[in-house]
């Protein structure tokens, strides 16, 4: 089994009401792979500059992440700087410097082309498609996106979406992609674009899953200490895909479980800066939050 | 058992992307009582003007609502006019004419003073307290509020809150009342203000319940056709209190069930204008949505 993720590896400078970090390890592929590493073999395909600290590569390898697809190019690593306001729901991007990421053309190493679970993190939909073209026998491919691509590369995005099994996005993106304010209707419209399953991430309000006629509403984990929401969506995707790849089971019941594991990983992610909240968990920590989410959503007739 | 509600009975003019109504039956006590009528005996205490159509009173009586506390004063009935935008989440109040409601001083008829379940809909917290003073032996009192009272009558509101068992409000109000953006922390702060239970309504994102160490996250019903959100919060409260009054059971498990019944009644409410969506339900309709919500939130370890 195992899962491969194609996305960004970045150095993030983040300011929240609780503190700030400079050039901390970030990027969609990073958050995804660290979360997924608790469930299954995970390989990363991304690019960094020659300024990228080797300790970060060591950290990823230490988490068991296969970095054979992490390319180093001459130049600087992708840098993102952002700040969150008082309630952590609004994020201001202060600066985005794509640097070496600007010319990123994902090449899947031969040794990874047969990985069966594929996650296309939020990158240009043309590059997402390029990844799909290189995979030999994907059992399940999922993709994320953002408003930028919905607005600027809609046609290419629709083409990518038509080729994946699972679409993962946040509620605002879902409404925008579908051109429909009702989130239930919007999600069903995205289903009609091709994917068998649509996952809508709603941050502090949990997540929704649509698969055929099945609809699942997952609670958020009741986090009292949210320090930095950066990467939560990718950590969610990492837990979700990691569990699916580990079990090789895409039944409705197991996809629901995967959504809960995604929720658990996102909850750890937001409790500290960068990937620190996910750096040293045990299987028991993860199972305990799974159990708590069961308790949180339980009611009897 | 039975439940009594003190609040507004109004004539609403509402415009949504799907249509509009003029002088339709509305008001917090109306939505609450119609929802609660499916569960238990319900009595309303409110005031209307001498222009209030008798057909509306007949309708409430037809639903089994005790209108002995619905007073008619010389003058016009409370009128509210509002409009909802494309996504139904933002509401503009076009006009509020309190009319006879401005001088409303709730008097509880002697015959109703012993009703054990009391709901104080969103009115001046001083009036809410005045109602509590008149109740002989409340088993459970709950209250709602709004930003207007949080900002203008905070001291009086805190006094009322300290005297009720259940505080019901929406997420924005909860954050504002507690002065805390994290909704989990904010809700726990409201618990410290006195009530044993805090319910946070989140519209399309469901509802949260806090009671001691117990925390429950309820899904929203997946409504695809939301026509008019007006009254949803009061319909929720009606289903919630109606179920509690019917069963006389305030255990954690039963309060969770009550939250689900609240969710069900709100889902019927928003599907049509005014109280039309709740006017002719059967017990089976309600149980079917309860069952669907169980399906929607189900996952196994």
């Amino acid at each position: 089994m195992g899962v491969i993720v194609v996305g960004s590896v970045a150095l993030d400078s983040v300011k929240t009401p609780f503190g700030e970090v400079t050039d901390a390890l970030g990027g969609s592929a990073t958050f995804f792979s660290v979360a997924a590493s608790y469930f299954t073999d995970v390989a990363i395909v991304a690019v960094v500059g020659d300024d990228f600290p080797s300790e970060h590569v060591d950290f990823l390898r230490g988490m068991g992440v296969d970095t054979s697809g992490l390319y180093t190019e001459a130049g600087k690593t992708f840098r993102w700087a952002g700040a969150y306001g008082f309630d952590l729901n609004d994020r201001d991007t202060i600066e985005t410097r794509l640097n070496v990421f600007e010319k990123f053309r994902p090449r899947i190493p031969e040794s990874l082309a047969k990985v069966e679970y594929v996650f296309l993190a939020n990158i240009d939909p043309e590059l997402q498609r390029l990844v799909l073209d290189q995979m030999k026998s994907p059992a399940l491919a999922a993709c994320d996106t953002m408003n930028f691509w919905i607005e600027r590369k809609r046609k290419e995005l629709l083409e990518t979406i038509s080729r994946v099994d699972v679409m993962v996005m946040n509620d605002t993106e879902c409404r925008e992609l579908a051109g429909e304010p009702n989130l239930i209707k919007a999600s069903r419209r995205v289903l009609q674009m091709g994917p068998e399953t649509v996952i809508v991430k709603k941050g502090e309000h949990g997540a929704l899953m649509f698969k055929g006629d099945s609809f699942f509403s997952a609670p958020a984990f009741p986090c009292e200490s949210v320090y930095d929401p950066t990467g939560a969506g990718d950590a969610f995707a990492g837990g979700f895909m990691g569990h699916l790849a580990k079990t090789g089971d895409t039944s409705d019941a197991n996809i629901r479980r995967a959504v809960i594991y995604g929720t658990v990983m996102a909850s750890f992610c937001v409790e500290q800066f960068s990937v620190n909240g996910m750096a040293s968990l045990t299987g028991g920590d993860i199972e305990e939050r799974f159990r708590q989410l069961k308790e949180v959503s339980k009611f009897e007739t």
Side-chain angles (χ1 to χ4, degrees), chain A:
Chain A
M1 294 296 175
V3 60
I4 187 170
V5 55
V6 182
S8 61
V9 170
L11 295 173
D12 288 348
S13 295
V14 182
K15 199 171 176 175
T16 82
F18 308 105
E20 55 187 304
V21 288
T22 304
D23 282 351
L25 179 58
S28 56
T30 302
F31 286 104
F32 179 96
S33 64
V34 173
S37 73
Y38 287 95
F39 298 87
T40 189
D41 292 338
V42 52
I44 199 170
V45 173
V47 63
V48 292
D50 49 23
D51 63 342
F52 190 66
S54 62
E55 70 202 58
H56 292 334
V57 180
D58 294 342
F59 167 74
L60 290 171
R61 286 187 188 144
M63 297 298 296
V65 176
D66 180 329
T67 58
S68 61
L70 180 63
Y71 302 100
T72 303
E73 303 285 351
K76 289 197 162 186
T77 301
F78 177 22
R79 274 172 175 75
W80 177 79
Y84 294 86
F86 181 55
D87 75 354
L88 296 177
N89 284 326
D90 292 319
R91 174 164 82 182
D92 283 330
T93 288
I94 294 169
E95 192 169 42
T96 302
R97 290 195 194 174
L98 292 177
N99 298 327
V100 297
F101 194 63
E102 191 165 6
K103 305 226 160 148
F104 179 48
R105 298 279 296 174
R107 282 169 289 135
I108 309 299
E110 186 61 30
S111 60
L112 297 177
K114 287 188 175 167
V115 175
E116 291 188 335
Y117 287 76
V118 184
F119 187 69
L120 309 168
N122 165 36
I123 55 174
D124 185 329
E126 291 190 80
L127 300 186
Q128 291 178 322
R129 208 166 56 197
L130 194 64
V131 173
L132 290 178
D133 290 341
Q134 296 174 70
M135 300 309 297
K136 298 261 191 273
S137 48
L140 185 142
C143 94
D144 193 355
T145 194
M146 70 183 292
N147 55 351
F148 185 86
W149 308 120
I150 296 172
E151 289 154 20
R152 313 242 184 138
K153 291 212 169 183
R154 186 176 175 82
K155 186 166 155 282
E156 293 81 0
L157 178 60
L158 290 176
E159 167 70 19
T160 297
I161 293 174
S162 74
R163 290 181 57 185
V164 298
D165 305 287
V166 181
M167 185 69 201
V168 182
M169 66 200 137
N170 73 33
D171 50 348
T172 311
E173 291 154 4
C174 181
R175 290 186 227 260
E176 186 172 357
L177 176 61
E180 163 61 51
N182 181 293
L183 197 50
I184 310 294
K185 270 191 196 165
S187 305
R188 296 207 192 283
R189 278 202 196 157
V190 177
L191 273 183
Q192 289 166 1
M193 296 174 187
E196 264 195 18
T197 304
V198 170
I199 312 280
V200 182
K201 300 171 288 180
K202 304 192 297 173
E204 64 167 345
H205 300 304
L208 306 179
M209 186 278 286
F210 301 78
K211 178 179 160 70
D213 288 338
S214 175
F215 168 66
F216 176 47
S217 174
F221 190 85
C223 289
E224 291 199 47
S225 51
V226 179
Y227 268 74
D228 176 11
T230 308
D234 298 301
F236 175 96
F240 174 79
M241 290 292 285
H243 176 73
L244 289 183
K246 174 186 179 180
T247 54
D249 171 2
T250 56
S251 65
D252 176 56
N254 201 49
I255 288 193
R256 289 178 181 230
R257 265 179 229 117
V259 170
I260 298 296
Y261 279 114
T263 302
V264 167
M265 297 315 295
S267 77
F268 286 118
C269 178
V270 301
E271 287 179 344
Q272 294 186 47
F273 282 109
S274 182
V275 292
N276 299 333
M278 298 191 291
S280 51
L281 299 172
T282 65
D285 295 334
I286 294 169
E287 292 307 317
E288 171 58 19
R289 289 206 172 177
F290 189 105
R291 193 195 62 71
Q292 287 178 48
L293 282 165
K294 190 118 186 65
E295 198 58 38
V296 151
S297 54
K298 189 183 73 179
F299 66 94
E300 306 298 335
T301 41

